[in-house]
Amino acid sequence: MRYNVAQQLKEGVGSVRVYAVDEIVPLLGEEWESCQVRGQVYLLRTHRSILVTGNLSSRVAETCGRCLETYDQDLTLHLEEEFFPTIDVVTGLPLEVPEEAGPFVIDHNHTLDLLEAVRQAVLLSVPMNPLCQPECAGLCPTCGQNRNLAPCACAATPPDARWSALGPLLQEWSTAENG
């Protein structure tokens, strides 16, 4: 995902390039080693940079937070990042990069590398509490049976006596709600 943008930097504000993306992105140091990313990115020349936008998709192997089964999690990635040139394409002189927190830069060879921006988008799109399905029943806390596969024979655990004072309130709320 490296694009030479020297010609686009010479063009006027508003010049656009569209690129198809179909690459494997390494995610070293994370739970996954890599993932396949597909979609399109748009590079728009602004008065001071190249604005990269795009919608990409990917899939990673994830572990369900309830039943602990592994499943494939589809990801939708939305990119909108600004890449600043470090060298003036006409004069070859160094340019000052804005002091924004962690700006993405175009290197001295006028190459825009999307790898880190896409990697960050993948990590941000992974759900914090992944579920294999919205109705996942999880594991039985007593015997550990995956309730999605079969019900367990464990008796229902009695409610904690410390919560018993809330029972009348729940009953009162339920009758008020229904009628």
Side-chain angles (χ1 to χ4, degrees), residues 2 38 51 83 87 89 94 107 127 147 169 178:
R2 296 172 54 92
R38 292 184 173 97
L51 177 65
F83 286 76
I87 301 289
V89 72
D107 71 11
R147 294 184 199 166
L169 290 174
N178 294 329

Side-chain angles (χ1 to χ4, degrees), residues 4-175:
N4 188 311
V5 294
Q7 188 61 38
Q8 190 173 8
L9 288 171
K10 292 178 186 177
E11 295 174 4
V13 172
S15 113
V16 176
R17 300 284 192 279
V18 179
Y19 295 100
V21 175
D22 187 4
E23 295 191 34
I24 294 177
V25 175
L27 301 170
L28 300 176
E30 301 301 330
E31 186 176 338
W32 321 275
E33 291 185 21
S34 64
C35 67
Q36 183 77 32
V37 176
R38 292 184 173 97
Q40 280 189 329
V41 292
Y42 302 86
L43 280 60
L44 171 69
R45 174 73 165 109
T46 68
H47 69 286
R48 65 182 193 156
S49 65
I50 302 280
L51 177 65
V52 178
T53 58
N55 291 313
L56 306 171
S57 62
S58 186
R59 178 179 283 188
V60 293
E62 192 60 83
T63 302
C64 179
R66 289 184 189 160
C67 67
L68 305 179
E69 294 291 327
T70 302
Y71 71 100
D72 287 334
Q73 174 73 51
D74 291 325
L75 304 176
T76 301
L77 317 174
H78 301 288
L79 284 181
E80 188 170 330
E81 298 293 345
E82 198 169 13
F83 286 76
F84 298 95
T86 55
I87 301 289
D88 185 288
V89 72
V90 176
T91 65
L93 296 174
L95 295 173
E96 194 171 318
V97 177
E99 293 184 23
E100 299 168 3
F104 290 105
V105 295
I106 300 168
D107 71 11
H108 64 280
N109 292 322
H110 311 294
T111 302
L112 186 149
D113 189 354
L114 277 179
L115 184 63
E116 181 59 21
V118 171
R119 187 187 78 80
Q120 289 179 18
V122 168
L123 296 177
L124 288 173
S125 67
V126 174
M128 291 181 77
N129 187 20
L131 297 176
C132 60
Q133 57 186 341
E135 309 84 32
C136 179
L139 301 175
C140 172
T142 306
C143 69
Q145 168 69 35
N146 184 341
R147 294 184 199 166
N148 295 317
L149 303 176
C152 66
C154 297
T157 57
D160 190 333
R162 294 174 288 184
W163 295 99
S164 63
L166 295 177
L169 290 174
L170 178 61
Q171 182 66 27
E172 199 175 295
W173 177 78
S174 177
T175 55

